[in-house]
Amino acid sequence: MIFKKKKKEKAFDGYWNILVVDDEEEVHSITNIVLKNFIFKNRKVKLYDTYNIEDTKEILSSDIDFSLIFLDIVMETDNAGLLITKFIRDDLKNDTTRIILRTGQPGNAPEQKIIIDYDINDYKEKTELTATKLTTSVVSSLRSYEELLKIKDHEVILEKEVSEGIIKLRKKDKQLQHQERLCQNVEIINMLAHQWRQPLNDIVMNMNNMILDIELDEINKDSIKSTSNLILNKSQKLSDQIDGFLSHYKPNEKKSDVSLDGLLKKVLSIVDYRIVTDKISFVQEFDEDFIIHTYENEVEQIIVHLINNAIDAYNKIDGSSRNLSLICKSSKHRLIISVVDEAGGIPEDIIDEIFDPYFSTKEEINGAGLGLYMSRLLVEKHLNGHLDVFNKNKGCTAELTLELEDYIHG
């Protein structure tokens, strides 16, 4: 007895789904015969057949992933194939499936016009589609389809990487904001220390005098009452300063109507101690009082920060002239708030870096390099404006610009 070894069937990696759309049965039969044993990259062809627009739209709307469509132009209408093409590209948003138009009446639809006006990959007359040319067209289309799928996969990966990058940036942005908040807390402490030093010294001195009078048995009721009132008044002022600073650094949840004049007065109440202590000759100029609809504390913080930067610049140089101007002007539907100093300006080798995160020319702890960066971020993302710093004349000008269409009313 002779046993014949059974031939092992070759395993294939699935199918290429191809849709044949034509109202002629003969076209379907020929296409099936030619592609019956067709194999490309270890995958067979699986053919689907439709004969009109309605059935074609129905199968295209299913979950079948078609690699290629042979599409007749003239069926129940002269432009049936073109209508199906628009359905695929425009309605289904499918730009990967390859489409080969086949027509027996080329005069009805000129090849050049169709390929330009529609997303068609090839255009063939039925009479020229021999078995060899049909197979060649299929190979070319499947290669193109495969490359498009790779591009789509890369796009998905890229979108994922971009999304992950955005999440990381937002996380980093929150970290920067947290660090800026820490820096602001240090700045509050430093400001309060400057503001409180003299009043506390007065309180301590008056308390010591009162204790000394008690020890020397030289108690005078009027003197004690006067001293006590002085201590109470100074303590109340210290308490008011705390409230003012806390209000200044508390973020606004909603916009409010703010008088420009009132806003600038609040700013000056915050920086007044430095203007006096550091012997700054301060000038304030503005054309008229505006009512601004904005986040009040955020605008305050930015202006205070710019003024403090200018005063810091004066403290790094020697010179008797310490002029500082706060100028507000309306120009071309904009409100421009400028802080102008004469402290020599910013060195040209670092002026392009001053808005970078972590960059700083300061050595102290409250100069963490986040001030200008966070200020610009706040202006652009929250206040719909922009912040610029540039050298001009004898010093530096910091310019905060707010669009009047958004900010002014009434």
Side-chain angles (χ1 to χ4, degrees), residues 234-245:
K234 289 188 177 291
S235 299
Q236 185 61 50
K237 286 184 178 180
L238 295 178
S239 178
D240 291 341
Q241 286 175 5
I242 291 176
D243 292 339
F245 276 103

Side-chain angles (χ1 to χ4, degrees), residues 16-21 28 46-50 59 64 66:
W16 300 101
N17 295 318
I18 297 178
L19 176 61
V20 180
V21 183
H28 290 271
K46 188 172 184 178
L47 293 174
Y48 295 80
D49 301 288
T50 58
I59 196 170
I64 301 172
F66 289 107

Side-chain angles (χ1 to χ4, degrees), residues 93-105:
K93 307 297 181 185
N94 180 347
D95 57 0
T96 54
T97 299
R98 304 294 83 197
I99 300 175
I100 297 178
L101 283 183
R102 297 197 290 190
T103 181
Q105 305 175 47

